[in-house]
Coordinates of all heavy atoms in Angstrom, one line a residue:
R1 N 56.3 116.9 112.2 CA 55.4 118.1 112.2 C 55.1 118.5 110.8 O 55.8 118.1 109.9 CB 56.2 119.2 113.0 CG 57.4 119.7 112.3 CD 58.1 120.8 113.1 NE 59.3 121.3 112.5 CZ 59.4 122.2 111.6 NH1 58.3 122.8 111.1 NH2 60.5 122.6 111.1
R2 N 54.1 119.3 110.7 CA 53.7 119.7 109.3 C 54.7 120.7 108.7 O 55.3 121.4 109.5 CB 52.3 120.4 109.4 CG 51.2 119.4 109.5 CD 49.8 120.1 109.3 NE 48.7 119.1 109.2 CZ 47.5 119.5 108.9 NH1 47.2 120.8 108.8 NH2 46.5 118.6 108.8
G3 N 54.8 120.7 107.4 CA 55.6 121.6 106.7 C 57.1 121.4 107.0 O 57.9 122.3 106.9
A4 N 57.5 120.2 107.2 CA 58.9 119.9 107.5 C 59.7 120.2 106.2 O 59.3 119.9 105.1 CB 59.1 118.4 107.9
V5 N 60.9 120.8 106.4 CA 61.8 121.2 105.3 C 62.9 120.1 105.3 O 63.0 119.3 106.2 CB 62.4 122.6 105.5 CG1 61.3 123.6 105.4 CG2 63.1 122.7 106.8
R6 N 63.8 120.2 104.3 CA 64.8 119.2 104.1 C 65.7 119.0 105.3 O 66.0 117.9 105.7 CB 65.7 119.7 102.9 CG 66.8 118.7 102.5 CD 67.5 119.2 101.3 NE 68.5 118.3 100.8 CZ 69.7 118.2 101.2 NH1 70.1 119.0 102.2 NH2 70.6 117.3 100.7
A7 N 66.0 120.1 106.0 CA 66.9 120.0 107.1 C 66.3 119.3 108.3 O 66.9 118.9 109.3 CB 67.4 121.4 107.6
D8 N 64.9 119.1 108.3 CA 64.2 118.4 109.3 C 64.2 116.9 109.2 O 63.6 116.2 110.0 CB 62.8 118.9 109.4 CG 62.7 120.4 109.8 OD1 63.6 120.9 110.5 OD2 61.8 121.1 109.4
Y9 N 64.8 116.4 108.1 CA 64.9 115.0 107.9 C 66.2 114.4 108.2 O 67.3 115.1 108.1 CB 64.5 114.7 106.4 CG 63.0 114.9 106.1 CD1 62.5 116.1 105.7 CD2 62.1 113.8 106.2 CE1 61.2 116.3 105.5 CE2 60.8 113.9 105.9 CZ 60.3 115.2 105.6 OH 59.0 115.3 105.3
V10 N 66.3 113.1 108.4 CA 67.6 112.4 108.6 C 68.2 112.3 107.2 O 67.6 111.6 106.3 CB 67.4 111.1 109.3 CG1 68.7 110.3 109.3 CG2 66.8 111.2 110.6
L11 N 69.3 112.9 107.0 CA 70.0 112.9 105.7 C 71.0 111.8 105.6 O 71.6 111.4 106.6 CB 70.6 114.2 105.4 CG 69.7 115.5 105.5 CD1 70.5 116.7 105.2 CD2 68.5 115.3 104.5
E12 N 71.3 111.3 104.4 CA 72.3 110.3 104.2 C 73.4 110.9 103.3 O 73.2 111.8 102.5 CB 71.7 109.0 103.6 CG 70.7 108.4 104.5 CD 70.1 107.1 103.9 OE1 70.0 107.1 102.6 OE2 69.7 106.2 104.7
T13 N 74.6 110.3 103.3 CA 75.7 110.8 102.5 C 76.0 110.0 101.3 O 76.0 108.8 101.3 CB 77.0 110.9 103.4 OG1 76.7 111.6 104.6 CG2 78.2 111.5 102.7
V14 N 76.2 110.7 100.2 CA 76.7 110.0 99.0 C 78.1 110.5 98.6 O 78.4 111.7 99.0 CB 75.7 110.3 97.8 CG1 74.3 109.7 98.1 CG2 75.6 111.8 97.5
F15 N 78.8 109.7 97.9 CA 80.2 110.0 97.5 C 80.4 109.9 96.0 O 79.8 109.1 95.4 CB 81.1 109.0 98.2 CG 81.0 109.0 99.7 CD1 80.0 108.3 100.4 CD2 81.9 109.6 100.5 CE1 79.8 108.3 101.7 CE2 81.8 109.6 101.9 CZ 80.8 108.9 102.5
W16 N 81.2 110.8 95.5 CA 81.6 110.7 94.1 C 83.1 110.6 94.0 O 83.8 110.7 95.0 CB 81.0 111.9 93.3 CG 81.5 113.3 93.8 CD1 82.6 114.0 93.5 CD2 80.8 114.1 94.7 NE1 82.7 115.2 94.1 CE2 81.6 115.3 94.9 CE3 79.6 114.0 95.4 CZ2 81.2 116.3 95.7 CZ3 79.2 115.0 96.3 CH2 80.0 116.2 96.4
D17 N 83.6 110.5 92.7 CA 85.0 110.3 92.5 C 85.6 111.4 91.6 O 85.0 112.4 91.4 CB 85.3 108.9 92.0 CG 86.8 108.5 92.3 OD1 87.1 108.3 93.5 OD2 87.5 108.3 91.4
A18 N 86.7 111.1 90.9 CA 87.5 112.1 90.2 C 86.7 112.6 89.0 O 86.8 113.8 88.7 CB 88.8 111.4 89.7
G19 N 85.9 111.8 88.3 CA 85.1 112.3 87.2 C 84.2 113.5 87.5 O 84.3 114.6 86.9
A20 N 83.4 113.3 88.5 CA 82.5 114.4 89.0 C 83.3 115.5 89.6 O 82.9 116.7 89.5 CB 81.4 113.9 89.9
A21 N 84.4 115.2 90.3 CA 85.2 116.2 91.0 C 85.8 117.2 90.0 O 86.0 118.3 90.3 CB 86.3 115.5 91.8
R22 N 86.1 116.7 88.8 CA 86.7 117.6 87.8 C 85.7 118.5 87.2 O 86.0 119.6 86.8 CB 87.4 116.8 86.7 CG 88.7 116.1 87.1 CD 89.4 115.6 85.8 NE 88.7 114.5 85.2 CZ 88.9 113.2 85.5 NH1 89.8 112.9 86.4 NH2 88.2 112.3 84.9
L23 N 84.4 118.0 87.1 CA 83.4 118.8 86.4 C 82.7 119.8 87.3 O 82.3 120.9 86.9 CB 82.3 117.8 85.8 CG 82.8 116.9 84.7 CD1 81.8 115.8 84.4 CD2 83.2 117.7 83.5
L24 N 82.5 119.5 88.6 CA 81.7 120.3 89.5 C 82.2 121.8 89.6 O 81.4 122.7 89.5 CB 81.6 119.7 90.9 CG 80.4 118.7 91.1 CD1 80.6 117.9 92.4 CD2 79.1 119.5 91.1
P25 N 83.5 122.0 89.8 CA 84.0 123.4 89.9 C 83.7 124.2 88.7 O 83.4 125.4 88.8 CB 85.5 123.2 90.2 CG 85.6 121.8 90.8 CD 84.6 121.0 90.1
R26 N 83.8 123.6 87.5 CA 83.5 124.3 86.3 C 82.1 124.7 86.2 O 81.7 125.8 85.8 CB 83.9 123.4 85.1 CG 85.4 123.2 85.0 CD 85.7 122.1 83.9 NE 85.1 122.4 82.6 CZ 84.9 121.5 81.7 NH1 85.3 120.2 81.9 NH2 84.3 121.8 80.6
L27 N 81.2 123.7 86.6 CA 79.7 124.0 86.6 C 79.4 125.1 87.5 O 78.5 125.9 87.2 CB 79.0 122.7 86.9 CG 77.4 122.9 86.9 CD1 76.9 123.1 85.5 CD2 76.8 121.6 87.5
L28 N 80.0 125.2 88.7 CA 79.6 126.2 89.7 C 80.3 127.5 89.6 O 80.1 128.4 90.5 CB 80.0 125.5 91.1 CG 79.3 124.2 91.4 CD1 79.7 123.7 92.8 CD2 77.8 124.3 91.3
T29 N 81.1 127.7 88.6 CA 81.8 129.0 88.4 C 80.9 130.2 88.6 O 79.9 130.3 87.9 CB 82.5 129.0 87.1 OG1 83.5 128.0 87.0 CG2 83.3 130.4 86.9
G30 N 81.2 131.1 89.5 CA 80.4 132.3 89.7 C 79.2 132.1 90.6 O 78.5 133.1 90.9
R31 N 79.0 130.9 91.1 CA 77.8 130.7 92.0 C 78.3 130.1 93.3 O 79.2 129.2 93.3 CB 76.8 129.8 91.3 CG 76.2 130.3 90.1 CD 75.0 129.5 89.6 NE 75.3 128.2 89.2 CZ 74.7 127.1 89.7 NH1 73.7 127.2 90.6 NH2 75.1 125.9 89.2
T32 N 77.7 130.5 94.4 CA 78.1 130.0 95.7 C 76.9 129.4 96.5 O 77.1 128.8 97.5 CB 78.8 131.1 96.5 OG1 77.9 132.2 96.7 CG2 80.1 131.6 95.8
R33 N 75.7 129.7 96.0 CA 74.5 129.2 96.7 C 73.5 128.7 95.7 O 73.6 129.0 94.5 CB 73.9 130.4 97.5 CG 74.9 131.0 98.5 CD 74.3 132.3 99.1 NE 74.1 133.4 98.0 CZ 73.4 134.4 98.1 NH1 72.6 134.6 99.2 NH2 73.3 135.3 97.1

């Protein structure tokens, strides 16, 4: 359909490891959305 948004698509999963896992919480401090 026209105007499809991200949720209207079949999504795939990606995985990360310890390096990104250590950095992400620091980057997201104070933000939840």
